[in-house]
């Protein structure tokens, strides 16, 4: 039996599962927006703007979910500054939860800046102060912001899986592939969200085709990484002989990856399934591990 | 740092009276569970079942019965191991978990924000949230008592000296003697966590066991959570790079299609001349 079965469950459930999902999706959407901002054409701008919006809303929502989940939400800032020694910074480069708190804060900042810049570009900002901020984020600066933000986006999408691996919990600490899996899933769900939202923002057909073809490739990669993840689990795979195994097989692999791959002629339908699959992936990997209780393991139950 | 202090728990003399559990609850003013109404586990004479935020000591009963007249009870008073290399301390993002001058590991309740990273990081399942404070809590090795020269409440209360408190070096010698004594009597006995060169740099609360560690709910080879960091981060970066390439290749293909018109999306750098 893996030594991970003797640890305790952290109860990361109904706030953290959506947090991991939304954070991944927001990071993936921003990454795609940044790619188009750097290498795309003027016709891609609506997708870029939609990507920034998804990222900004997602980052703020993620921060809220993370905060509400704390046992002492008002002490959220203890992760950023030393509470007894303010304003000395609190940062542990070897602890994903520590550097992740900084990453989500910075990602929020960058995505809000980009979103404001994009809105100023469209002339959609009424508030003078916001218009002034948005007006600054243009041209070379906008590109720089999106470049750094794109990297932060992927960081946020992937660190959640790394965070789970840097524990002593079953499944999570038993495979080195969870960070990669969550990151690829963040990219595929980010693309899916943009496929659904960008048409409303006036996206060109060419940009949407690019999103769809990217999503198809990302799903193939996701399937590959999922396979590597399961192979690396070895004998731990017996935990999937449960309801969560069914969710993984039917919900994640079937509905979330294989069905959208078959449906790629109908991008909107495929995108909805990708979004569902991404959520079920977080749900199954989190709750399958959460359900393993140390004392029951020791008692052979 | 003053001398490292800790516990040696000789499980062979534990009688399962749970005096240590009670003394700990009393001294540390830990709340009762379920509003004080007892809940029965239903499958064991042990109704506490686990260590958590309001049970910092737990006397584990291992009931090994093959038949009504063929069996034995193993009892072990479990607690935070005050690991020399502590996973909980390693990951705590607020700095709430500290190593004290006694080489023990303590959670500062006024700093902790209840993120629960330490719960998943501890290889022994020691920590949990205390619902009254909303923060992660566990044994402090009675830091407040050590400060004024008192021994921890649990070892003080233990009627059989199953829990022994003292300087770690001294406890290790005593434990070694006890192992030899038991082996001479024909009893299988091993120390768990007494080796400073062993897992986690040794445990400042170590045990004498008469069966495999797993039987007592202890991991064979406890490890630090960061053992996984470089590999899992490396694979994540690699997959990010692959996604970047996939995105750019797609974009380039589109450009080629645009430049070459229908059928012009063929191979390598073919369309370059049109720029
Ligand atoms: S036993 Fe767990 S809680 Fe105690 S010091 Fe070690 S890692 Fe921390
Ligand atoms: S729950 Fe408290 S003690 Fe545990 S890791 Fe989080 S901040 Fe640190």
């Amino acid at each position: 039996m893996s030594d991970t079965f003797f640890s305790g469950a952290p109860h990361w459930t109904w706030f953290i599962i959506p947090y991991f999902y939304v954070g991944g999706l927001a990071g993936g959407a921003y990454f795609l927006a940044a790619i188009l901002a750097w290498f795309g054409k003027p016709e891609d701008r609506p997708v870029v703007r939609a990507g920034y919006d998804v990222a900004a809303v997602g980052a703020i929502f993620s921060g809220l979910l993370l905060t509400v989940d704390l046992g002492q939400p008002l002490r959220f800032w203890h992760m950023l500054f030393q509470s007894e020694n303010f304003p000395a910074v609190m940062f542990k480069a070897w602890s994903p939860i520590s550097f992740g708190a900084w990453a989500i804060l910075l990602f929020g900042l960058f995505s809000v800046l980009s979103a404001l810049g994009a809105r100023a570009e469209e002339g959609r900002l009424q508030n003078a102060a916001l218009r002034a901020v948005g007006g600054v984020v243009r041209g070379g600066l906008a590109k720089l912001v999106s470049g750094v933000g794109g990297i932060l986006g992927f960081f946020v999408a992937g660190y959640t899986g790394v965070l789970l691996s840097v524990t002593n919990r079953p499944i999570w600490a038993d495979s080195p592939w969870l960070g990669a899996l969550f990151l690829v899933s963040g990219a595929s769900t980010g693309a899916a969200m943009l496929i659904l939202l960008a048409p409303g923002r006036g996206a060109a057909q060419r940009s949407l085709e690019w999103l769809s073809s990217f999503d198809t490739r990302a799903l193939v990669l996701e399937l590959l990484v999922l396979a590597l993840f399961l192979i690396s689990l070895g004998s731990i795979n017996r935990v999937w002989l449960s309801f969560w195994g069914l969710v993984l097989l039917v919900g994640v692999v079937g509905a979330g990856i294989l069905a959208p791959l078959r449906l790629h002629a109908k991008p909107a339908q495929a995108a909805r399934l990708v979004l569902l699959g991404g959520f079920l992936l977080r749900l199954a990997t989190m709750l399958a591990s959460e359900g393993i209780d140390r004392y029951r393991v020791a008692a052979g139950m | 740092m003053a001398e490292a202090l800790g516990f040696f728990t000789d499980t062979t003399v534990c009688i399962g009276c749970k005096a240590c559990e009670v003394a700990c609850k009393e001294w540390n003013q830990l709340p009762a569970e379920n509003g004080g109404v007892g809940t029965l586990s239903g499958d064991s004479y042990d109704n506490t079942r686990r260590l958590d935020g309001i049970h910092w000591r737990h006397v584990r009963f291992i009931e090994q019965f093959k038949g009504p007249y063929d069996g034995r009870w193993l009892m072990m008073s479990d607690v935070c191991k005050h690991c020399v290399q502590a996973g909980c301390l390693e990951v705590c993002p607020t700095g709430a978990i500290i190593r004290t001058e006694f080489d023990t590991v303590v959670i500062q309740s006024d700093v902790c924000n209840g993120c629960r990273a330490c719960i998943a990081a501890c290889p022994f399942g020691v920590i949990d949230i205390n619902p009254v404070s909303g923060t992660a809590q566990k044994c402090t090795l009675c830091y407040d008592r050590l400060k004024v020269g008192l021994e921890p409440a649990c070892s003080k209360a233990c009627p059989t000296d199953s829990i022994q408190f003292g300087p770690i070096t001294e406890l290790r010698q005593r434990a070694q003697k006890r192992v030899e004594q038991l082996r001479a009597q024909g009893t299988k006995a091993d120390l768990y966590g007494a080796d400073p060169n062993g897992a986690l740099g040794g445990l400042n609360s170590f045990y004498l066991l008469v069966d495999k560690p797993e039987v007592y709910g202890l991991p064979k080879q406890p490890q630090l959570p960061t053992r996984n960091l470089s590999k899992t981060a490396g694979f994540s970066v690699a997959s990010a790079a692959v996604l970047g390439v996939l995105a750019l290749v797609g974009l380039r293909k589109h450009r080629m299609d645009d430049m070459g018109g229908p059928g012009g999306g063929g191979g390598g750098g073919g369309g370059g001349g049109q720029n």
Side-chain angles (χ1 to χ4, degrees), chain A residues 10 39 72 78 92 95 206, chain B residues 91-92 111 116 133 255 258:
Chain A
F39 305 104
Q72 287 281 356
H78 288 199
K92 288 182 173 177
S95 166
R206 305 285 293 149
Chain B
V91 300
C92 173
V111 178
R116 312 192 292 284
S133 65
R255 288 246 177 103
D258 280 355

Side-chain angles (χ1 to χ4, degrees), chain A residues 16-286:
Chain A
I16 295 299
I17 294 168
Y19 159 55
F20 281 8
Y21 175 62
V22 174
L25 190 156
Y30 195 112
F31 164 77
L32 292 168
I35 289 271
L36 287 180
W38 275 77
F39 305 104
K41 292 186 173 175
E43 66 176 18
D44 294 322
R45 291 302 295 174
V47 175
V48 174
R49 290 194 284 266
Y52 291 158
D53 282 355
V54 169
V57 173
I60 293 169
F61 190 50
S62 299
L64 286 177
L65 285 169
L66 184 59
T67 307
V68 179
D69 183 67
L70 297 173
Q72 287 281 356
L74 292 179
R75 295 185 192 165
F76 176 77
W77 63 276
H78 288 199
M79 286 190 189
L80 302 168
F81 299 98
Q82 298 176 17
S83 56
E84 301 298 304
N85 200 14
F86 187 81
V89 163
M90 186 66 222
F91 181 77
K92 288 182 173 177
W94 58 90
S95 166
I97 192 154
S98 173
F99 60 68
W102 276 103
I104 186 88
L105 183 77
L106 293 177
F107 175 60
L109 190 72
F110 277 73
S111 53
V112 167
L113 278 180
S114 293
L116 287 177
R119 286 189 169 236
E121 176 185 299
E122 290 180 298
R124 284 175 61 192
L125 286 176
Q126 310 299 331
N127 182 296
L130 293 181
R131 205 164 42 231
V133 177
V136 177
V137 190
R138 61 198 304 176
L141 182 64
K143 268 198 157 180
L144 187 70
V145 169
S146 77
V148 178
I151 295 171
L152 283 169
F154 256 1
F155 198 95
V156 167
Y159 105 86
T160 53
V162 175
L163 165 72
L164 293 181
S165 282
V166 182
T167 61
N168 266 307
R169 288 297 295 158
I171 305 175
W172 309 345
D174 290 315
S175 165
W177 286 102
L178 212 48
L181 184 60
F182 279 16
L183 191 138
V184 180
S185 161
S188 70
T189 49
M193 192 55 131
L194 290 180
I195 290 169
L196 291 177
L197 293 184
R201 304 289 296 270
Q205 192 54 33
R206 305 285 293 149
S207 320
L208 292 174
E209 280 167 14
W210 174 75
L211 280 176
S212 287
S213 71
F214 173 80
D215 214 10
T216 303
R217 289 159 200 228
L219 286 176
V220 174
L221 184 64
E222 192 174 332
L223 194 60
L224 180 76
V225 177
L226 183 62
L228 289 168
F229 167 65
L230 292 177
I231 292 168
S232 68
L233 284 180
S235 63
I236 311 286
N237 274 310
R238 70 186 171 86
V239 296
W240 298 118
L241 296 174
S242 66
F243 175 66
W244 301 118
L246 197 68
V247 171
L248 192 74
L249 191 71
V250 178
V252 179
V253 179
I257 300 179
L258 297 179
L261 283 176
R262 277 183 64 105
L263 271 174
H264 68 135
K266 295 180 187 156
Q269 265 186 37
R272 279 192 202 100
L273 286 173
V274 172
L275 288 177
L276 175 72
F279 182 74
L280 294 179
L281 173 69
R282 308 307 192 285
L283 190 78
T285 42
M286 303 283 291

Side-chain angles (χ1 to χ4, degrees), chain A residues 1 3-4 6-13 16 31-32 35-36 39-41 43-44 69-73 75-84 90-99 154 158 161-163 165-169 172-181 183-184 187 205-207 209-210 213-214 217-218 221 225 293-296 298-299 301, chain B residues 43 49-51 58 60 76 78 81 87-95 97 108-129 132-135 213-229 231-233 235-237 239-255 257-258:
Chain A
M1 186 190 302
D3 277 345
T4 53
F6 298 103
S7 59
H11 329 297
W12 285 333
T13 52
I16 295 299
F31 164 77
L32 292 168
I35 289 271
L36 287 180
F39 305 104
K41 292 186 173 175
E43 66 176 18
D44 294 322
D69 183 67
L70 297 173
Q72 287 281 356
R75 295 185 192 165
F76 176 77
W77 63 276
H78 288 199
M79 286 190 189
L80 302 168
F81 299 98
Q82 298 176 17
S83 56
E84 301 298 304
M90 186 66 222
F91 181 77
K92 288 182 173 177
W94 58 90
S95 166
I97 192 154
S98 173
F99 60 68
F154 256 1
V162 175
L163 165 72
S165 282
V166 182
T167 61
N168 266 307
R169 288 297 295 158
W172 309 345
D174 290 315
S175 165
W177 286 102
L178 212 48
L181 184 60
L183 191 138
V184 180
Q205 192 54 33
R206 305 285 293 149
S207 320
E209 280 167 14
W210 174 75
S213 71
F214 173 80
R217 289 159 200 228
L221 184 64
V225 177
D293 229 332
R294 175 202 179 206
Y295 81 95
R296 291 184 185 282
M301 291 157 73
Chain B
D43 53 30
R49 301 310 258 132
R50 60 168 85 77
L51 287 169
H58 165 226
R60 178 179 291 280
M76 168 193 160
D78 199 6
K81 316 298 176 290
C88 60
L89 188 155
E90 189 179 42
V91 300
C92 173
T94 63
I97 307 188
Q108 305 171 92
S109 216
D110 55 337
V111 178
C112 169
N113 67 10
C115 76
R116 312 192 292 284
C118 52
I119 301 177
C122 170
F124 305 100
V126 163
I127 311 179
D128 211 335
I129 293 289
V132 175
S133 65
T135 62
E214 301 93 295
V215 169
Y216 294 86
L218 297 167
K220 230 181 321 185
Q221 188 65 29
Q223 286 177 286
L224 285 173
T226 47
R227 71 185 179 281
N228 292 325
L229 181 59
K231 212 167 169 190
T232 178
F235 286 155
S236 305
V237 172
S239 66
V242 173
L243 284 168
V245 171
L246 290 179
L248 289 176
V249 165
L251 217 50
R252 184 179 154 83
K253 187 169 178 303
H254 266 211
R255 288 246 177 103
D257 289 351
D258 280 355

